[in-house]
Amino acid sequence: MKWNNIIAIGILVSAYAVSAIRFATLQLQIRRTAADRDDAERVIRVTHWQLEPGFREAMQWAIDEYNALPHVQAANVRVEQLAITERVYNQFMNVHLISGTAPDIATRGMTRLIQGNNVARFYTPLSEYIGDPNPYNAPELLSPDLPPELAEFLSTASWRDTFLDGMLGGYDRLLNDYYAIPVSNFGSLRLFYNQTYLQDVKAFALSAVQAIPQPDWVQGLWLRGEGQQATGYLPDTPALRAWLANDSAPDTLGQLIFYCEAVQAFAREHDLPFLVPISGSNYDPSNLAFLYKPIFLSHFTEEVKLLPGEGLRHIQSLAAWEAGRWSFDSPPYYAFLDFAQKVSRYFPRGFLGLDREQAQRRFILGNAAIISSGAWDASGIFLGAAGRDREEDRFEVVVTRPPMAIEGERWHEYLPMNRTEASFTTGVPLAINQKTPHFRWALDFLKFMSSQPINQEFSRRANWLPAIAGAEPTDFMRPFMPEPEGIPGNLSISLQTAGGGLQNVYTGALKLLMTGDIDRQEFRERIERFLANPRVGMQSLWIRDLQRNLDASRARDRTVSVEEYRVLFHDDDAARTRLHSLFLTSLNNDKGLPAIWLWRTFNGDEPFPSFD
Amino acid sequence: MRIFVHRIFRPALRWCVGLGLIIGLSGCSKPPDREDLARQGLEAVEFFDFPTGLNKLLPIQADWPEDDPQWLEITYALALSAWHASPPRAEWMELAESLFTLIAEREGDSTVGLTARMNLARMAEISDFPGDEPDYETARRIYTEIIESQDGTDLAMQAGLRLANLKAFTFTEDGARAAIALILDQLERMPDTEWASVAWQYIGDIYINFLNDRSAALAAYEQAYERGFANVARTDLYLWRMGQFAEELDRQAEALHWYRKIVAEHPRSIFGTWAHQYMTRLARTLEEPTELPPPPDPLDVL
């Protein structure tokens, strides 16, 4: 036997021995703790994938506070945090949930396996625990500066009602129950501006506007003509000049376009070859076109025959397209593609090759005047901008909601209002593993995390938004709080959600259009060619939609059966109430009804597509 | 080299194999008794884990004494597991059918017995796997029997709603009208049933989805609203729909009433801004000045 073989076998044997010993130790530990012996330490493990700066430290602070509570120490309970990158979270949770070794508490989501009815197989339903007040919101524990009425509410209301969204972030619509306790709030998408550039570029732009004659780049911005023949983006008005004289961020879309052009001219003038107006990347939130797309494409409700109160599904959009009720040349679609082409010229060259971190770094390094993202990136951006090595490189960050076009500006008719953020849901939903031997303590820890004073301090330390009423965010996080004013966000034509091949073809074509690799006609032809394909096109999409509806209907039947079982054998009143709602949903969505109804709406008595 | 193999490697290998065996065997404990299996099976069904329910309950159900108080629950849970275990298989469906039939015969007109019959109808109505043709006739027959034998009960209403659904599913005007007539007849017999809200809301949905009759749909939704919509989470969507229908029917004051409800009572509604705008516009058209609520604030939990 050769030495290298022996070494290899030796390593294998050692690895086996180590894992066998580790396995035995863990088994012993699990058995001992499962038995809940009084002298055994009970360890509650909390897993999440939030690796953004500040989050883990804030979570650790909350954990330390909890571990230091007298009754927690007396019970020999200790909470531990296990942060896992989102790249492997899916695999980690799948393996451990199925093998029964998953952490006691874990962020729900990020796994395609543990969804639908499977959520109920692995996580504990929490309805019966959320109706009572949260004991950690007792009056003596609340922040002392709370208005008395709010303090009274927090200490007496049900735990569920103390959440800003009524705990909807933990609610599972399919299972009709609460399966997680959210502890934060993702907030909404916003534009981040480099304040230094706002001052310098606007001063530069004001002098350009006041010059006689105005430079070409300024003259090209003034709106002339109408509809698809229009050139320019906004009129030269006293309001625009007044805005240029201060250092505030753009209030209108016309001003935003103006500002981006000014940044490009400023970069040329000052020989700043790396400076771009917007730090776009392949990360969708950083792509301004995607931010405005749902508003541009929400003007088809008549064409798609949408019933008031309903949300628009991709198949309904496509059914109307197939029936010739709209096309990719329809004015709102044309306007959106026009906008997408325009705005992508403000991104760095090769932006599709850049990722989220690279986009953020470009902004922090002062090589972009604007970046768009959500509250989850705010901490990294703020800390990065304020933490540059050289003091002269540091800058303040201004945050605003994406501005809309006002009357007299290009695209005004398509961008009347932002999307409403009224129906926001709280985030980081922490679910309790059904196999945990320490359910009572896991629940207790989540009550602690979601109490007003702890959630407030946790959010401040993490620089995230709170999930609980009365928990105040830090000043610089306030701009991310949900803004209720706006149009419903579910009325937009969205082929990106179609799934399968269409999603890839559509997204690919749109990105190529934005990079200038294809024109509008090629964009349209690529999608139309795909939709006309009998194997993967419209016919396949109809069949897929019907199957999806049938599967959902079947899954709902399972839920109805379990609720009936709970009513019959456990006399569960809550299940009885949930049954009513489920039954109605079942009636309206039975046997693939939504797909069939939609087909008949646009195609009458024609037979439903099939591969036969 | 030889010394290494004989004195170190082989003993180490023996030691590891021995350790592995000890650990492996330590994992083997005595097989669970039937009470344990029953508990685990019932718990699995409650948590939608039907394959486990099937695995745990199938070995014990047949031998479980029928006069034992737990027999009924174990048999019912096993039937549910066989029906819903994924992927569905013909033999499991047959098992589920035989168990539900057994329960229905044994329990007669008790709630459990009738629910078992409803499940039999439902199994006939839907296709569970390729080649499993729906048997609407059997479903209709069972629903009709329950409606007739249980007149005025909640189960009769549930059977009525399922039967109405089958009628509407014909996509004919006659079918839709027959569905509505059936539910209205049921409501007349039991106006105070706790299923009335579901029934009225479903009537409204049939009017709009199958007959495009907005006036009749609005009237039905009003009845459902008075009783509280069955799907509370979608109340604001229905209120928006009602406001829109009322405006289309030129009933401005009524439309304003529904928009006002969205603004005042559903601050988290996605229709809040529109409802506030429409409400304000409609209020200007009224002769009598009316006080309007402020724009909704979803962050105000009080």
Side-chain angles (χ1 to χ4, degrees), chain A residues 14-35:
Chain A
S14 315
Y16 174 79
V18 169
S19 62
I21 292 166
R22 176 83 181 130
F23 178 77
T25 318
L26 279 175
Q27 282 289 97
L28 215 61
Q29 201 177 330
I30 288 168
R31 282 185 193 178
R32 216 188 269 162
T33 36

Side-chain angles (χ1 to χ4, degrees), chain A residues 563-578:
Chain A
E563 296 292 16
E564 275 176 350
Y565 168 76
R566 287 172 180 159
V567 171
L568 288 173
F569 294 99
H570 300 237
D571 202 19
D572 185 338
D573 277 341
R576 190 172 284 117
T577 309
R578 292 195 297 265

Side-chain angles (χ1 to χ4, degrees), chain A residues 287-562:
Chain A
N287 191 323
L288 227 59
F290 293 154
L291 209 60
Y292 284 88
K293 180 169 162 271
I295 314 172
F296 270 109
L297 302 185
S298 61
H299 300 277
F300 292 95
T301 48
E302 292 273 319
E303 287 82 352
V304 299
K305 300 186 181 182
L306 193 67
L307 274 175
E310 290 296 312
L312 183 54
R313 297 188 303 130
H314 73 268
I315 191 70
Q316 189 158 0
S317 310
L318 287 167
W321 170 84
E322 194 179 30
R325 296 178 65 89
W326 67 271
S327 77
F328 295 104
D329 288 328
S330 297
Y333 223 106
Y334 187 96
F336 163 64
L337 296 179
D338 199 19
F339 173 79
Q341 285 180 307
K342 178 69 189 168
V343 82
S344 59
R345 288 182 199 135
Y346 302 136
F347 297 163
R349 277 189 192 162
F351 68 93
L352 290 178
L354 303 174
D355 63 17
R356 175 184 172 188
E357 283 78 21
Q358 287 168 310
Q360 220 180 88
R361 200 174 310 128
R362 173 180 284 271
F363 180 75
I364 289 167
L365 291 176
N367 287 327
I370 306 169
I371 188 170
S372 67
S373 194
W376 55 91
D377 277 336
S379 180
I381 291 174
F382 278 97
L383 291 173
R388 296 284 305 278
D389 291 340
R390 297 192 311 172
E391 195 171 341
E392 62 268 30
D393 290 337
R394 293 173 197 158
F395 59 92
E396 285 184 27
V397 178
V398 177
V399 177
T400 69
R401 213 176 175 194
M404 291 294 109
I406 58 167
E407 202 160 351
E409 291 184 348
R410 179 103 161 248
W411 303 309
H412 165 60
E413 62 272 43
Y414 307 118
L415 298 171
M417 252 192 276
N418 258 300
R419 282 187 296 170
T420 176
E421 294 158 10
S423 61
F424 71 96
T425 51
T426 44
V428 193
L430 296 177
I432 301 180
N433 180 358
Q434 223 178 74
K435 295 219 164 84
T436 175
H438 312 303
F439 173 77
R440 193 166 64 85
W441 287 104
L443 189 72
D444 191 62
F445 173 68
L446 292 179
K447 284 181 179 170
F448 180 79
M449 273 293 291
S450 58
S451 63
Q452 181 271 332
I454 299 301
N455 197 249
Q456 174 168 288
E457 187 57 27
F458 163 72
S459 307
R460 288 180 171 206
R461 285 171 182 257
N463 277 323
W464 280 45
L465 293 171
I468 304 299
E472 290 293 319
T474 53
D475 283 343
F476 79 78
M477 289 305 290
R478 278 185 202 284
F480 296 95
M481 289 301 273
E483 292 279 353
E485 189 179 295
I487 61 169
N490 62 353
L491 306 179
S492 170
I493 285 181
S494 173
L495 306 188
Q496 267 159 309
T497 56
L502 178 60
Q503 187 172 0
N504 296 336
V505 169
Y506 176 77
T507 311
L510 187 56
K511 286 181 174 172
L512 287 174
L513 179 88
M514 290 174 70
T515 54
D517 288 303
I518 59 173
D519 60 15
R520 266 185 227 137
Q521 190 180 340
E522 174 69 14
F523 167 82
R524 194 188 63 215
E525 283 172 5
R526 282 185 178 214
I527 298 168
E528 289 178 354
R529 211 164 36 236
F530 178 87
L531 291 172
N533 184 317
R535 291 182 63 81
V536 293
M538 274 310 293
Q539 174 173 287
S540 164
L541 288 165
W542 276 113
I543 295 166
R544 264 173 70 104
D545 191 63
L546 177 62
Q547 193 54 51
R548 199 150 47 184
N549 273 286
L550 289 169
D551 291 346
S553 174
R554 195 66 187 81
R556 202 171 295 110
D557 269 359
R558 294 188 179 101
T559 314
V560 168
S561 285
V562 170

Side-chain angles (χ1 to χ4, degrees), chain A residues 255-288:
Chain A
Q255 289 176 2
L256 178 65
I257 300 274
F258 186 100
Y259 181 65
C260 289
E261 291 284 341
V263 171
Q264 287 184 327
F266 180 86
R268 283 194 300 270
E269 181 84 13
H270 293 86
D271 195 22
L272 299 167
F274 299 111
L275 175 62
V276 295
I278 302 170
S279 192
S281 72
N282 62 16
Y283 179 53
D284 284 356
S286 75
N287 191 323
L288 227 59

